[in-house]
Amino acid sequence: MKRRTLVGAAAWTAPAIVLASAAPAYATSTLGLITFIDPEDIIGSGYTATLTVQLTVPAGGSVPSSVNIRYGTPNVLRGPTSAPTGGNATFTFQVTALDVNASTEITVRAPGYVDGTTTITVTADRSGFLFLQGFSFRSTSTQNKMVGSPVRTTSANGTVTDSFRGGEFKYNGLGDGNALNINGFLLRSDMKAMAGVVEFNLDVFAVGYVPNGVSSYLLWQNSGNRPNSGKPITEIAARINGKTARDGSLNHTSATAAGTNGILPILRGSTTTASRPGGYLYLAFTFPRFPGYTANVSFVY
């Protein structure tokens, strides 16, 4: 046989050898996957997080009735060592942060599945967060002034509060053109955004001259069918619940921050005079995920 014939035969048969060696690896890949869905990366002491787990069932496999849960570092979280799936490929379990500054890896495992892991940091340091106010006025009037830099205080029970003061909402212009837009960002003190959704509560109320028990001077912008749309802001706190966007923003235009009522802009409903003075507008933010941190913003109106 000629040399050219030998080379040609070798070149033709090589792919068959490669295919034969690759086939067994494909055939043995039958493990399912365990994945955490959008887990929190940092939580405050005392907070109970609900973790969502998803099982990718392998071909011919089944959903296990329960999974095992392991914690890499003890005494960081209080949680179960197993969790039922209820026969569902997606299920949840809860963990509660203890009063420590530490991290732990959480591993979920089940026979026939690749382990799923996530890491959660628990912080008892309530100064580890920062609220960046992003309020703005639509009007360019110099009678409206934005709040200054925050003043941080710590109460006897350790609660940290950032207070933004010095704001003035004194321009008497009426309508949407004189709106106070409410926005802000909740970040870690190292200026990094946090993984997972951060829920917030916003309490808004006015004090001072309140005619007939209702502050007609300030009201929520009239927008659609939201429950607080067009209503006056009174001495009784109106609570808004919502969730931050992925970048930590509370922007009132963000669908993920809409919450129950949505954070609508605040408008002036009427003018103030010497005989009918204004008062103070207060906005208090709390974050259930970080029980020991609050942010307050105030304006004279």
Side-chain angles (χ1 to χ4, degrees):
M1 186 175 291
K2 296 181 180 180
R3 182 176 180 274
R4 182 179 298 176
T5 305
L6 288 172
V7 173
W12 177 256
T13 57
I17 296 173
V18 173
L19 289 174
S21 62
Y26 177 82
T28 57
S29 180
T30 57
L31 293 177
L33 297 177
I34 300 176
T35 309
F36 284 87
I37 304 299
D38 201 16
E40 291 96 333
D41 60 343
I42 181 170
I43 59 178
S45 297
Y47 177 71
T48 297
T50 299
L51 302 178
T52 301
V53 178
Q54 180 175 298
L55 302 175
T56 302
V57 183
S62 61
V63 175
S65 60
S66 64
V67 297
N68 294 323
I69 305 171
R70 297 180 62 181
Y71 305 90
T73 304
N75 301 320
V76 176
L77 297 170
R78 182 174 64 249
T81 56
S82 65
T85 65
N88 300 312
T90 302
F91 61 94
T92 63
F93 67 95
Q94 293 183 325
V95 294
T96 300
L98 303 181
D99 193 19
V100 295
N101 291 302
S103 298
T104 184
E105 186 176 80
I106 305 174
T107 301
V108 174
R109 59 179 43 173
Y113 286 80
V114 178
D115 293 353
T117 62
T118 190
T119 298
I120 291 182
T121 296
V122 173
T123 177
D125 180 9
R126 294 159 181 173
S127 63
F129 312 102
L130 178 65
F131 179 73
L132 300 181
Q133 68 83 16
F135 288 39
S136 63
F137 289 109
R138 289 183 185 170
S139 170
T140 59
S141 171
T142 57
Q143 291 180 279
N144 291 340
K145 297 179 181 179
M146 193 45 59
V147 295
S149 299
V151 175
R152 175 161 288 190
T153 58
T154 304
S155 66
N157 66 359
T159 298
V160 172
T161 301
D162 283 335
S163 298
F164 299 80
R165 302 170 181 146
E168 298 182 4
F169 193 13
K170 291 186 175 181
Y171 176 51
N172 276 329
L174 308 180
D176 293 354
N178 188 29
L180 172 61
N181 295 322
I182 302 171
N183 193 7
F185 296 83
L186 181 66
L187 303 173
R188 295 165 57 161
S189 55
D190 57 9
M191 305 299 288
K192 294 180 180 179
M194 290 169 282
V197 172
V198 179
E199 295 182 353
F200 67 86
N201 299 318
L202 170 59
D203 293 314
V204 183
F205 59 97
V207 297
Y209 182 79
V210 182
N212 301 320
V214 175
S215 176
S216 59
Y217 294 136
L218 301 178
L219 49 85
W220 296 106
Q221 183 184 47
N222 194 347
S223 177
N225 58 358
R226 295 180 182 178
N228 59 342
S229 175
K231 292 184 178 179
I233 295 174
T234 70
E235 292 179 306
I236 301 174
R239 168 157 286 194
I240 296 172
N241 310 110
K243 299 178 180 179
T244 63
R246 294 300 172 193
D247 62 356
S249 170
L250 282 63
N251 192 327
H252 69 277
T253 62
S254 171
T256 56
T260 304
N261 294 338
I263 310 180
L264 294 169
I266 295 176
L267 311 178
R268 296 194 65 89
S270 63
T271 60
T272 58
T273 64
S275 61
R276 298 172 54 199
Y280 293 89
L281 171 68
Y282 291 100
L283 303 98
F285 293 91
T286 56
F287 307 91
R289 183 168 156 183
F290 307 107
Y293 178 78
T294 62
N296 298 327
V297 184
S298 61
F299 293 85
V300 177
Y301 72 89

